[in-house]
Amino acid sequence: MVQITDLLERNKEIAKTHVPFPYLPEAAAQGFPKANVLVHPQFRNQQNANKMISRVQLDAVCIRNVCGHVTPNITDILGAHFLIGFTQIMIVHHTDCGATYFTDDDIRRALKARQSLSGVGVGVEDAAVIDAMGFGAIGKDIGKSVRDDVEILVGNPLFPREEVEVRGFVFDIKTGVLMEA
């Protein structure tokens, strides 16, 4: 099992041949174009955004999270738009997502059980906090989940929908194909 110390050792080797990235003002002065596309893929390691779309340095920005839902990242997306000014967003979920194997209620029950096993117990306030949590369960229809995320983002009153096109996709981890949702 990999430990943090193992990753730090790997980094020492990688750093020996690292090619520095330009700071943002340096990139602008050197004429690097700003990224026009923000890609919002899920967290799964096999869904490597660089491979999925042949991303090269600075041509697209990626913001990832577990389950791929946009709600936890709306502030990041708004901030990135302010900084970069991209005009398109790709929301990408993938087949065989771990979030299709649980429900939010499964995790809520597990958290309450863990709290009870710790000897602390679950008070009314704790239960209310746990019951209000969402964990990103997707269900079986990944395409619907993507479409829901597109609607959530475009429906946010702070989102610049007149400036940014949002499209949703499902990445098939077996074929490597992106399909519009």
Side-chain angles (χ1 to χ4, degrees):
M1 182 181 301
V2 173
Q3 303 291 321
I4 291 174
T5 53
D6 301 320
L7 299 177
L8 292 172
E9 288 303 313
R10 288 183 198 171
N11 174 258
K12 287 179 186 176
E13 291 304 311
I14 291 169
K16 291 177 185 176
T17 59
H18 175 70
V19 177
F21 296 104
Y23 289 123
L24 292 175
E26 294 170 336
Q30 294 171 19
F32 282 100
K34 287 186 174 183
N36 188 50
V37 180
L38 181 135
V39 182
H40 192 281
Q42 289 174 288
F43 186 71
R44 185 173 177 154
N45 289 338
Q46 294 89 330
Q47 187 189 3
N48 181 322
N50 295 340
K51 285 183 171 182
M52 181 177 67
I53 57 172
S54 288
R55 185 172 76 103
V56 295
Q57 183 180 351
L58 300 176
D59 73 348
V61 174
C62 286
I63 297 176
R64 302 172 80 151
N65 69 0
V66 176
C67 304
H69 293 301
V70 297
T71 302
N73 289 63
I74 286 178
T75 56
D76 295 341
I77 292 167
L78 293 171
H81 181 260
F82 173 79
L83 180 65
I84 299 167
F86 50 81
T87 62
Q88 297 178 321
I89 295 178
M90 289 178 73
I91 296 173
V92 185
H93 294 193
H94 62 80
T95 57
D96 196 47
C97 174
T100 63
Y101 292 95
F102 66 83
T103 67
D104 286 353
D105 284 338
D106 292 338
I107 295 178
R108 290 181 188 115
R109 280 190 296 276
L111 288 173
K112 290 175 184 177
R114 180 186 309 156
Q115 189 75 0
S116 295
L117 290 174
S118 71
V120 176
V122 179
V124 173
E125 288 180 21
D126 295 329
V129 168
I130 292 171
D131 288 340
M133 292 178 170
F135 300 95
I138 288 180
K140 299 302 176 199
D141 189 343
I142 296 170
K144 180 182 181 323
S145 178
V146 172
R147 291 187 298 277
D148 289 348
D149 275 350
V150 168
E151 287 181 25
I152 288 167
L153 185 57
V154 172
N156 184 293
L158 301 176
F159 183 75
R161 65 187 71 56
E162 299 82 24
E163 301 170 28
V164 181
E165 173 190 20
V166 181
R167 293 170 61 189
F169 299 86
V170 175
F171 177 71
D172 187 315
I173 65 168
K174 292 290 189 179
T175 66
V177 174
L178 279 166
M179 301 162 285
E180 193 131 17

